[in-house]
Amino acid sequence: MNYIVLDLEWNQPRYYRETVESPVHLTGEIVQIGAVKLNRKFKIKKELDLLIRPQYYRRMHKKVSRITGLGNEDVKKGMTFQEAFRKLRKFCGKDFVFLTWGPDDVPMLRDNLRLFSLDEDWIPDSYDLQVFYAKQIEGVMRQYALEDAIEKLGEKPFQAHDALCDARSTGLICRHLDMAKGMEEYPFLVGDIVARPLETREIGVSFEHRGAALKELSTTPIPCVCCDGFLYPEYPIPQNAHKYLCKIRCDCGEEFLVRFKIHRSLGDTVRVTREIFRMDAALEKFYADKWDRHEKQKAAEKAKLRRRKLRARAERANALAKE
């Protein structure tokens, strides 16, 4: 199996009204792909550096240019995304996993593949090495800057915010980690769903606000991806501020985890992406943890409200006593 360290740089729309909404809500268009292939000792044996000419967000956002050093004239010299994907696919081979620093690169790659109607099912199992590093080196599960991690491990970093250089730097960190243990523990450590969805679909309706979206989604049947039946979701619980989860069992016996992603759209409305995952042990635990947290938060809010009512009642009683 090949270990492919992947790093992407992407351009953003300069104004929100320029955001591409179909076939995907496109928050970024990839302009640079950096990848390194590691051997069994996690030393670099092959590299890939691709510059891509954007077709939708053609003018570089000032912030992106400042961070990456890429200007409008630079990206004009790049290849098409379709050609870059062919080169990346050939570079990776058949049996491989992606290693990234942070959770954003693989979803961004998936969105760009969907944008150009390319094979997103090609994406393999992927691991965010920040999770490995946080667990094994820091002991605190939070995000860490790549430059800070490199410095702490005593490695010499490559140039930051260049896709290939960041991939090289991430590759150096692998030598300091128990990769086998990290991969085994990963589904139980990562704060997001790492399984590949059976189906991802943009809901073709804009909603006035998040509450309206969740109310509608909790009463709308979903076609089962395994039979001709329907899934009837309950009111979703929050995964975080923008993602909501519900667990559903179909009459055919299959059990699924459904995730709704809420995106702000034009005109102060919201749009929704729906992902359907086949339930397994890791996702069952993931959902159970979110459910427990949700129930504890509800209980804490009820207790807070009860204390507030008791305090208000006591204040009214004191006011009456003074009269």
Side-chain angles (χ1 to χ4, degrees):
M1 181 175 66
N2 290 319
Y3 299 94
I4 307 296
V5 182
L6 178 73
D7 190 87
L8 308 174
E9 301 293 342
W10 53 83
N11 194 23
Q12 301 172 11
R14 293 178 302 152
Y15 307 101
Y16 194 82
R17 63 176 180 270
E18 296 178 351
T19 303
V20 172
E21 294 286 352
S22 180
V24 63
H25 180 85
L26 189 67
T27 57
E29 184 174 8
I30 297 171
V31 293
Q32 191 179 38
I33 296 176
V36 296
K37 186 179 293 186
L38 306 178
N39 61 21
R40 292 182 179 179
K41 295 183 178 180
F42 297 98
K43 293 184 177 180
I44 296 173
K45 65 177 183 178
K46 199 173 181 180
E47 298 180 342
L48 182 70
D49 187 12
L50 303 174
L51 184 65
I52 299 167
R53 182 174 66 254
Q55 297 184 36
Y56 290 86
Y57 304 150
R58 297 185 181 184
R59 293 184 62 81
M60 294 295 291
H61 192 288
K62 289 182 179 180
K63 179 181 177 181
V64 176
S65 288
R66 184 172 65 252
I67 292 174
T68 64
L70 294 173
N72 294 322
E73 295 305 315
D74 296 313
V75 295
K76 284 181 181 178
K77 301 173 184 176
M79 65 189 72
T80 65
F81 181 78
Q82 292 90 331
E83 182 181 357
F85 176 58
R86 288 194 295 270
K87 290 180 180 291
L88 176 63
R89 194 165 187 165
K90 182 177 180 181
F91 175 84
C92 293
K94 293 184 178 180
D95 185 18
F96 68 100
V97 297
F98 276 145
L99 307 176
T100 65
W101 188 263
D104 299 324
D105 293 85
V106 171
M108 183 60 64
L109 176 60
R110 189 182 300 279
D111 283 350
N112 278 251
L113 291 175
R114 195 177 307 153
L115 177 69
F116 292 101
S117 300
L118 297 170
D119 182 15
E120 61 181 289
D121 289 337
W122 164 83
I123 295 176
D125 291 337
S126 305
Y127 299 90
D128 175 6
L129 291 183
Q130 276 196 65
V131 176
F132 293 30
Y133 175 85
K135 172 68 173 179
Q136 298 179 20
I137 306 298
E138 299 287 353
V140 178
M141 295 303 292
R142 65 173 181 81
Q143 290 186 319
Y144 295 89
L146 178 58
E147 296 89 342
D148 294 341
I150 283 286
E151 181 179 353
K152 178 161 186 172
L153 295 173
E155 295 282 3
K156 185 177 180 181
F158 294 90
Q159 175 188 341
H161 303 300
D162 171 87
L164 178 57
C165 289
D166 281 350
R168 288 168 174 166
S169 293
T170 303
L172 293 176
I173 291 178
C174 293
R175 305 178 194 178
H176 298 266
L177 301 173
D178 185 336
M179 295 295 292
K181 182 179 180 181
M183 290 180 180
E184 181 180 355
E185 294 178 336
Y186 190 70
F188 305 101
L189 296 175
V190 69
D192 204 342
I193 296 175
V194 297
R196 185 180 304 173
L198 296 172
E199 178 185 271
T200 302
R201 178 167 297 184
E202 296 279 338
I203 305 298
V205 178
S206 292
F207 300 92
E208 291 184 5
H209 49 77
R210 182 176 309 180
L214 293 174
K215 183 177 180 180
E216 179 71 20
L217 295 168
S218 66
T219 58
T220 303
I222 302 171
C224 180
V225 295
C226 295
C227 72
D228 295 329
F230 286 89
L231 309 175
Y232 296 92
E234 298 177 353
Y235 198 86
I237 63 171
Q239 176 186 334
N240 56 34
H242 307 288
K243 300 173 185 176
Y244 295 81
L245 307 168
C246 61
K247 186 170 67 170
I248 307 174
R249 180 180 293 276
C250 181
D251 289 338
C252 68
E254 292 287 350
E255 192 170 32
F256 304 95
L257 185 66
V258 180
R259 175 163 69 177
F260 300 107
K261 294 182 178 180
I262 309 294
H263 312 280
R264 183 154 297 281
S265 187
L266 300 176
D268 292 328
T269 59
V270 298
R271 295 179 64 85
V272 179
T273 300
R274 184 183 70 216
E275 296 176 318
I276 301 177
F277 302 84
R278 191 190 302 276
M279 189 66 79
D280 59 20
L283 288 182
E284 186 73 52
K285 183 179 185 304
F286 176 83
Y287 180 79
D289 290 343
K290 299 299 181 185
W291 176 266
D292 288 344
R293 187 182 69 177
H294 175 60
E295 290 298 299
K296 288 177 181 178
Q297 287 177 342
K298 283 202 311 182
E301 289 172 0
K302 286 182 179 179
K304 184 177 180 180
L305 180 60
R306 187 161 49 253
R307 289 194 299 270
R308 188 180 301 166
K309 288 181 177 179
L310 289 173
R311 192 182 306 118
R313 189 180 302 168
E315 290 174 354
R316 287 196 300 268
N318 288 335
L320 290 173
K322 290 179 180 179
E323 291 178 358

